[in-house]
Amino acid sequence: MITLKSPREIEMMRESGELLASVHEALRGFIKPGITSWDIEVFVRNMIEEHGGIAAQIGYEGYKYATCCSINDEICHGFPRKEKLKDGDLIKVDMCIDLKGAMSDSCWSYVVGKSTPEIDHLMEVTKKALYLGIEQAQVGNRIGDIGHAIQTYVEGEKLGVVRDFIGHGIGPTIHEAPSVPHYGEPGKGLRLKEGMVITIEPMVNTGTWQMKMDDNGWTARTRDGGLSCQYEHTIAITKDGPQILTEQK
């Protein structure tokens, strides 16, 4: 079922999103060679709780952590762990926050230490694809308009758009209708209505879009071992256009 949010509910989700954005902003200076993704997990969880939030991923469908920390060829749902990060690692940190009952969800990508031209291009394309998708999140447009804008741009850059993991509605639970693929045909799919709140979260690979699952049943990685990048925002559909509830400063 799709729930339409009132202006008051959207403002509450914006407050949650502002807290989430501030965590990502803080991670910019925290992530560096020599730390571990477990250090990131502890940092994130502590910051959320210190500001009155709840790390909403903990316990969701049995997941145990506040963050998903996916490194290099891991597409999503990587477990935080104690191996040290090194120069040139590409890490995606995904989290959901419940602040006074209001949900927000955002993933951001970080390069550890020194980057490479390949990583720079992948990150630049993935972030631009996110905002191209957001531009299509207008009242009266259709879900396919979002996916088409993302897919045509990414594939034009000779990169692959993941099909198996997609955006979704959010609030009052983490995942709800509608589904928001990052590929598709313009003018197709559900029509967007004022009051919908969705995530747009393209995952883009240097090679094939196809994936494989680790034995843990959670972590997905690229089938060909290429790098994967992701950026995600929580978006409110309003009569004045899309509003990003997790925008960073």
Side-chain angles (χ1 to χ4, degrees), residues 27-219:
L27 285 175
R28 296 175 197 165
F30 184 77
I31 294 174
K32 56 189 174 184
I35 71 163
T36 70
S37 54
W38 185 254
D39 294 328
I40 294 172
E41 165 74 11
V42 173
F43 178 90
V44 167
R45 184 169 181 175
N46 287 344
M47 187 169 175
I48 291 171
E49 292 177 351
E50 285 168 3
H51 288 82
I54 296 170
Q57 288 182 165
I58 297 175
Y60 180 74
E61 295 187 353
Y63 193 74
K64 297 179 180 179
Y65 309 104
T67 62
C68 296
C69 292
S70 306
I71 303 168
N72 295 331
D73 67 328
E74 295 172 342
I75 296 170
C76 60
H77 305 155
F79 290 178
R81 49 200 184 271
K82 297 186 178 179
E83 292 87 354
K84 290 184 179 180
L85 297 172
K86 61 185 186 302
D87 253 338
D89 280 339
L90 177 59
I91 184 166
K92 290 76 70 176
V93 183
D94 191 1
M95 69 189 83
C96 297
I97 292 179
D98 178 342
L99 183 66
K100 302 175 184 176
M103 289 285 183
S104 58
D105 186 2
S106 178
C107 179
W108 217 249
S109 291
Y110 305 86
V111 62
V112 180
K114 295 179 182 178
S115 189
T116 67
E118 180 183 44
I119 292 173
D120 288 344
H121 180 243
L122 177 62
M123 294 176 76
E124 178 183 327
V125 170
T126 309
K127 185 184 286 186
K128 183 174 178 179
L130 166 64
Y131 285 95
L132 288 172
I134 291 170
E135 287 176 5
Q136 296 299 316
Q138 307 279 349
V139 172
N141 277 5
R142 293 186 181 272
I143 292 288
D145 297 323
I146 296 173
H148 179 74
I150 292 170
Q151 181 182 14
T152 53
Y153 170 64
V154 170
E155 292 180 350
E157 294 289 330
K158 309 301 182 185
L159 299 173
V161 181
V162 172
R163 309 289 202 274
D164 300 87
F165 300 94
I166 59 180
H168 51 86
I170 182 170
T173 59
I174 293 177
H175 281 192
E176 53 184 61
S179 297
V180 186
H182 306 110
Y183 56 93
E185 298 181 34
K188 301 290 186 180
L190 183 79
R191 194 176 296 279
L192 298 171
K193 296 181 179 180
E194 182 180 359
M196 287 181 177
V197 180
I198 62 174
T199 71
I200 300 176
E201 48 184 296
M203 296 161 226
V204 177
N205 302 341
T206 54
T208 179
W209 60 265
Q210 295 175 311
M211 50 77 72
K212 58 185 178 181
M213 291 295 297
D214 282 0
D215 292 340
N216 63 25
W218 279 96
T219 306

Side-chain angles (χ1 to χ4, degrees), residues 1-5 169-173 175-178:
M1 182 178 71
I2 297 172
T3 61
L4 300 180
K5 280 69 177 180
I170 182 170
T173 59
H175 281 192
E176 53 184 61

